[in-house]
Amino acid sequence: MAENIEYRIEHDTMGEVRVPANALYRAQTQRAVDNFPISGQTLESAHIRALALVKKAAATANEELQVLDAERAQAIREAADLVATGEYDEHFPIDVFQTGSGTSSNMNTNEVLATLATRSLESQGIEVHPNDHVNASQSSNDVFPTSVHVAVTEALVKELIPSLEVLAASLEKKSAEFKDVVKSGRTHLMDATPITLGQEFSGYAATVRYGIERVNASLPRVAEVPLGGTAVGTGINTPAGFSARVIELLAEETGLPLTEARNHFEAQANRDGLVEVSGQLRTLAYGLMKISNDIRWMGSGPNTGLGELHIPDLQPGSSIMPGKVNPVICEATIQVAAQVIGNDATIALSSTNGAFELNVGIPVMAANLLQSIRLLANVSRVAAEKMIDGLSANVERCRFLAEASPSTVTPLNKLIGYEAAAKIAKYSVANKVTVRDAVVALGYVGRGEVTEAQLDEALDVTKMLGDF
């Protein structure tokens, strides 16, 4: 059954448009809704919030610079505060796949704020216009990318980095807990010399710590915003001091290290700061994928796998095999990593859409980058709290596999040479005996080439672990 929707008539410079009667937006938003019925994916809530905050700061700066009267400026600020809460997200219906500058979404913001502000001033008979007042001293070409950089910076600082700190701390705690658990190292998925489980987990923790470092290293470029360049970077129609004041106000409101673009022509044409941080997230995603794969390998079993770790049981793993439990958090993390890697490919390709004075791939760059940040932040906490914190080591199994590795022959290189040691390793594997038994069987002790005491010293797996 068709919905009974009432409409009103709005107009813009192209003529009349029919708009849902209860919509806060107006003609230009409706045109975009009609033009881009593509994915059903709209702007992230964090992005809408950032657009509102930019408009709020712009209203204050315009009032101070006598571009806006006090009544309209205050009404716009109050409307922006409401939108920033997320309460009106449903009035931002435009698809992510839209005009590449984000003009449609900038006008969506202008129209919603103008409607809310006009309502608040109705008793005074004052109207707030989307372009003349809400968008005063601005262009979509500097406002929309500024909003992206604000939203991304806020998500990195307030969501991703704290979540990564939780994950790193969890891994570090396990590294300390597992410091004396000796296990077989593996290279090429083949037996290698011993390592401790704690050493492995210290590497995982370092991977996450380095990810935090990489994100922090990118922040100065991500937090550098193009506001003030207006149409092509020249700042046309913008009063002196406007951009500096808006950015100052934004920084105060958000607590973020926002700065004005050092070169407005570069800032207008390129989105390299977004590309840079997306690349850092891609690197982090690869690291998390590797960690997750290692953990599920070590937890494989329970009877026919490696069985070195017990991964917390979270849910039944099969609709047909009773009692089966799977490493579901590892698998979810790997899928997140795949999505982030794919998002980065889209962001990188979209960055090439910077022709002359403007990049025209910004909305999809914003959506993908904000999604990557949200996914990584969420999965980092989930992995820490639901999996890493609850891991336990099978100490006996780890030690057995460490001592069973033919690569424990490696310290004998210094006593009998590489080729003789290789012969011992092959004999050990072929005859299913320990390295020590292979040394004896092949006559190295009997011939006096190595003593029992030297074997005790050389084949002690606890002395093969290094000082790291």
Side-chain angles (χ1 to χ4, degrees), residues 8 21-24 88 114-123 126:
R8 69 179 192 270
N22 64 348
L24 296 177
Y88 293 104
T115 297
L116 291 172
T118 297
R119 286 180 181 177
S120 71
L121 296 172
E122 187 174 6
S123 63
I126 299 174

Side-chain angles (χ1 to χ4, degrees), residues 254 279 381 395:
T254 62
R381 287 187 182 272
V395 179

Side-chain angles (χ1 to χ4, degrees), residues 1 10 31 59 135 157 159 164 191 219 223 229 270 284 329 373 407 412 464:
M1 183 182 293
E10 292 282 350
R31 288 192 191 279
N135 202 60
V157 170
E159 296 177 28
L164 291 176
D191 301 345
L219 277 177
N270 304 317
L284 175 63
I329 302 299
I373 295 167
S407 291
L412 294 180
M464 300 182 194

Side-chain angles (χ1 to χ4, degrees), residues 312-383:
D313 296 343
L314 295 179
Q315 62 188 57
S318 174
S319 61
I320 190 171
M321 292 176 279
K324 191 173 186 292
V325 180
N326 299 326
V328 292
I329 302 299
C330 290
E331 293 166 357
T333 304
I334 290 166
Q335 291 176 82
V336 164
Q339 183 67 53
V340 171
I341 292 163
N343 284 351
D344 176 68
T346 298
I347 291 165
L349 185 58
S350 296
S351 75
T352 67
N353 288 331
F356 299 105
E357 279 67 58
L358 186 66
N359 178 282
V360 290
I362 305 173
V364 75
M365 295 177 78
N368 281 22
L369 188 48
L370 287 169
Q371 184 194 55
S372 290
I373 295 167
R374 176 165 44 82
L375 291 176
L376 287 170
N378 289 344
V379 85
S380 293
R381 287 187 182 272
V382 167

